[in-house]
Amino acid sequence: MNTSMKSNPPVQHKVIKNLIEAHSWLGLIISPLLFLVFWAGAVTLFHDEVAQWAITPHHPVDNTQVDIPLATLVEQKLAEYPVDYNGRFRINMPTELVPYYIFYLDVIGAQSPSDSHSMAILVDPKSGDTVAGKDDFYLSQFIYHLHYNLDLPGGSYLIGMVALIFLFALVSGIFIHARKLLKHFFLYRVDKQRRDKLLDLHTVVGVMTIPFTLMYALSGLILNLAIVFQLAFVVFIYQGDRQALFNDAGFNRTTELRSETPLDMDNAFNLIEQTQQKPNFELRNIIFHHYGAENALVQVRGTDTASFAQRDEVTYRVQDGSVINKVNADNYNVFRQGRDVLVSLHFSNFAGVDIRILYFILAMAISAMIVAGNMLWLDKRRVQRQSSPRSIAIVTGMTIGGCGGIIVATAVGFLCERLLPATLYGRSEWLVGCFVASLLAVMLCSLKVNDIKRHISKLLLLTSSILIITIVADWLLFPEQILALWQNGYHGVIGVQIGMGLMVAVCIFTAVKLTTTNQTARLENAITVN
């Protein structure tokens, strides 16, 4: 009995040691992508504000004019473009932040009817003009794509795997610090060595953000690897009926062929207006199936403002106004409700801007935690004689260059979004190219760095300079438009400028702090040597 009791501590110590090794190596492997996910996710929290900042100075909406009736607007756009009526098209409604209709259309190619492709356009609700293609101002969408699929084919599965590994890192971190979790909850040793400060920063941020990070890891895992869960549901719950699963999940599509008999669509817009007048209903988008045909359907979708993460959706047959399908709080669906709750929690669209600011701060703190974890690994490897200088250089370049490069590249993206001409052909490709080029440039410059703190300071000051130039360019190019937008209630442009200004202040403060610390350390070393 005594022997077993004596052998337990070494076994426990070995388990913790193995967890630390797994936590360190797995965290190191996924750190660049994980940093990108949280950094891009933090910016994506203000997706619509960034979109307003990018678009409205070029194409301001005059609120003194009356909205064109939706029926008139739809007929006008369908006459302008060679729409493929065999499918469906969707219209996103204007919002307080993005004051344009967004039309998603399938159009027939000029060469042959079979050569059809999708397009999305922004339409001014006051004038009816097509102001731009949806992807002409691509920054907000690009950062959002980086967050969930790296803007690459199959990237969502890669991010899903990163979320899975991140979940393991969280659980292993909890086990590693379990005994000291409460005792050292707020411990940050400012008067100790650099390694102690980094360890405390990594641990304190990790502990304080556990509920937030667990929510993000689980929701991101489920949303990005949904195909895995779909396969399990199809096999075990839906008895192989994949379409039934999609119907419950809200991805059901009509399989009817388009009727050759024409139909006047006035009743469709009457049905939309009736649905829009319902209490606690906020209209989000409309989907038309077989527009102008006898078997036309209109799907009206919105949110129930009186409930949490509740989506209301009703599909009408236009000819007689009969309800084909309906989803609301009374028609409860566990599968769809669960997905909507996850989406609401993940994107914090269930409350006001204060919650999004809190999410933003937490996401930035986790980004700092990721960098601190990598720096701990580097400090540990540098004191080990068997460590390869090449491997240390690669990890340094990956950490400082990758993470720092993402910050610089984001600032470059904002500058390009403001300075690139709105009519430039392939504008979105130019923006993505500038982002990637600046990221690669910083990574290459970070491969051989002797003074890490000095290098980080330079990157932060470079980011600050780019953001300052962006703010100045705003006021030089669009001073009257920005002021007019503010007076008309569109505060997103100046709000984004304030956000950039705060980021400039943080970057400059951090750069000065790092420089001061570095100079103090050098002075102490010189005194010690003498």
Side-chain angles (χ1 to χ4, degrees):
M1 181 175 178
N2 292 335
T3 304
S4 62
M5 290 180 63
K6 290 179 181 179
S7 62
N8 281 335
V11 172
Q12 186 180 17
H13 178 72
K14 186 176 180 180
V15 170
I16 296 297
K17 183 178 179 181
N18 290 337
L19 279 176
I20 293 173
E21 285 294 317
H23 181 90
S24 301
W25 279 105
L26 289 175
L28 183 70
I29 292 169
I30 68 170
S31 59
L33 289 180
L34 190 61
F35 182 92
L36 175 59
V37 166
F38 273 99
W39 177 267
V43 180
T44 298
L45 291 168
F46 299 94
H47 174 279
D48 288 351
E49 284 85 355
V50 173
Q52 184 186 126
W53 169 83
I55 305 169
T56 52
H58 290 276
H59 307 286
V61 175
D62 186 0
N63 279 340
T64 61
Q65 297 183 15
V66 179
D67 284 3
I68 295 176
L70 182 58
T72 304
L73 205 57
V74 170
E75 293 294 339
Q76 179 183 329
K77 293 302 145 186
L78 294 181
E80 288 181 18
Y81 300 96
V83 176
D84 183 2
Y85 289 94
N86 290 317
R88 66 175 193 165
F89 67 89
R90 188 178 89 209
I91 304 172
N92 283 7
M93 307 303 290
T95 66
E96 292 182 359
L97 293 173
V98 184
Y100 312 99
Y101 287 104
I102 305 178
F103 281 65
Y104 295 87
L105 306 170
D106 289 333
V107 296
I108 299 172
Q111 302 298 326
S112 67
S114 61
D115 182 24
S116 62
H117 62 278
S118 299
M119 64 179 296
I121 55 174
L122 303 176
V123 178
D124 189 322
K126 312 294 183 179
S127 66
D129 295 334
T130 300
V131 299
K134 182 175 179 290
D135 290 339
D136 290 346
F137 297 91
Y138 190 55
L139 179 63
S140 57
Q141 280 294 102
F142 175 62
I143 295 176
Y144 172 54
H145 291 164
L146 286 177
H147 173 66
Y148 82 91
N149 69 357
L150 305 176
D151 204 31
L152 295 173
S156 59
Y157 300 117
L158 178 59
I159 296 300
M161 294 305 300
V162 169
L164 180 61
I165 297 173
F166 179 52
L167 181 60
F168 170 79
L170 286 175
V171 175
S172 61
I174 292 172
F175 276 101
I176 291 168
H177 297 285
R179 289 187 299 175
K180 300 179 181 179
L181 205 60
L182 297 177
K183 182 180 178 181
H184 293 168
F185 189 81
F186 289 108
L187 178 63
Y188 184 76
R189 293 164 285 189
V190 294
D191 56 343
K192 298 295 183 180
Q193 297 180 0
R194 173 175 177 267
R195 177 175 171 80
D196 292 331
K197 294 179 182 179
L198 286 174
L199 179 60
D200 291 344
L201 172 64
H202 186 78
T203 304
V204 169
V205 172
V207 171
M208 293 183 66
T209 60
I210 283 175
F212 177 77
T213 49
L214 281 175
M215 180 274 292
Y216 258 112
L218 287 169
S219 60
L221 174 63
I222 293 172
L223 293 173
N224 281 80
L225 293 183
I227 185 65
V228 176
F229 301 99
Q230 287 172 8
L231 290 174
F233 284 140
V234 167
V235 173
F236 296 107
I237 299 178
Y238 286 85
Q239 307 276 316
D241 190 348
R242 187 175 62 176
Q243 188 58 46
L245 169 65
F246 287 164
N247 290 342
D248 283 349
F251 299 117
N252 51 317
R253 289 197 178 194
T254 179
T255 57
E256 285 184 298
L257 296 177
R258 179 181 175 82
S259 171
E260 297 297 330
T261 306
L263 177 70
D264 183 83
M265 294 295 291
D266 287 344
N267 192 43
F269 297 97
N270 292 332
L271 293 169
I272 293 169
E273 188 173 352
Q274 291 173 17
T275 307
Q276 195 171 4
Q277 297 305 318
K278 292 181 179 179
N280 303 321
F281 179 80
E282 183 178 356
L283 180 61
R284 293 293 187 182
N285 57 61
I286 304 159
I287 299 176
F288 289 100
H289 301 264
H290 304 318
Y291 188 90
E294 185 182 30
N295 61 340
L297 305 176
V298 59
Q299 190 175 8
V300 186
R301 303 198 296 188
T303 54
D304 183 349
T305 57
S307 304
F308 177 75
Q310 178 59 52
R311 180 178 53 161
D312 280 9
E313 182 180 304
V314 57
T315 304
Y316 300 100
R317 188 170 295 280
V318 176
Q319 186 178 36
D320 55 10
S322 59
V323 176
I324 303 299
N325 185 47
K326 189 174 185 179
V327 175
N328 56 22
D330 298 326
N331 185 14
Y332 191 76
N333 181 296
V334 176
F335 192 107
R336 194 177 305 186
Q337 183 70 16
R339 191 194 66 182
D340 290 344
V341 167
L342 283 178
V343 170
S344 294
L345 289 174
H346 195 85
F347 292 102
S348 70
N349 57 10
F350 57 89
V353 70
D354 50 348
I355 295 296
R356 287 190 287 146
I357 291 174
L358 177 61
Y359 269 44
F360 181 87
I361 295 171
L362 290 172
M364 288 297 174
I366 294 168
S367 300
M369 180 190 73
I370 294 167
V371 175
N374 278 23
M375 299 304 294
L376 283 169
W377 188 93
L378 287 170
D379 286 349
K380 182 179 178 180
R381 294 294 163 179
R382 284 196 182 98
V383 299
Q384 294 178 352
R385 295 182 179 179
Q386 67 271 26
S387 298
S388 168
R390 179 178 296 180
S391 66
I392 293 176
I394 291 173
V395 175
T396 302
M398 182 177 65
T399 300
I400 307 303
C403 300
I406 289 166
I407 297 173
V408 174
T410 303
V412 170
F414 274 84
L415 181 61
C416 290
E417 185 75 301
R418 179 52 72 227
L419 294 183
L420 290 176
T423 57
L424 178 66
Y425 179 77
R427 192 176 189 274
S428 60
E429 286 80 4
W430 278 98
L431 187 145
V432 173
C434 291
F435 183 96
V436 174
S438 55
L439 172 59
L440 292 177
V442 173
M443 291 182 69
L444 289 175
C445 293
S446 303
L447 287 177
K448 293 184 179 180
V449 176
N450 295 323
D451 192 333
I452 293 178
K453 288 186 179 180
R454 184 180 180 185
H455 186 69
I456 294 175
S457 298
K458 289 181 177 179
L459 293 180
L460 292 174
L461 292 175
L462 175 60
T463 302
S464 301
S465 301
I466 296 171
L467 291 177
I468 290 172
I469 294 171
T470 305
I471 297 171
V472 172
D474 267 354
W475 288 100
L476 289 177
L477 294 173
F478 306 105
E480 296 178 0
Q481 293 89 332
I482 292 173
L483 291 175
L485 286 166
W486 178 270
Q487 292 171 357
N488 285 330
Y490 299 116
H491 302 152
V493 178
I494 293 181
V496 171
Q497 291 175 351
I498 293 172
M500 287 191 284
L502 291 174
M503 187 60 65
V504 167
V506 171
C507 288
I508 292 176
F509 173 81
T510 307
V512 171
K513 195 74 174 178
L514 287 172
T515 302
T516 304
T517 305
N518 206 21
Q519 290 174 349
T520 303
R522 286 183 177 181
L523 183 61
E524 290 177 353
N525 290 336
I527 293 173
T528 303
V529 170
N530 293 333

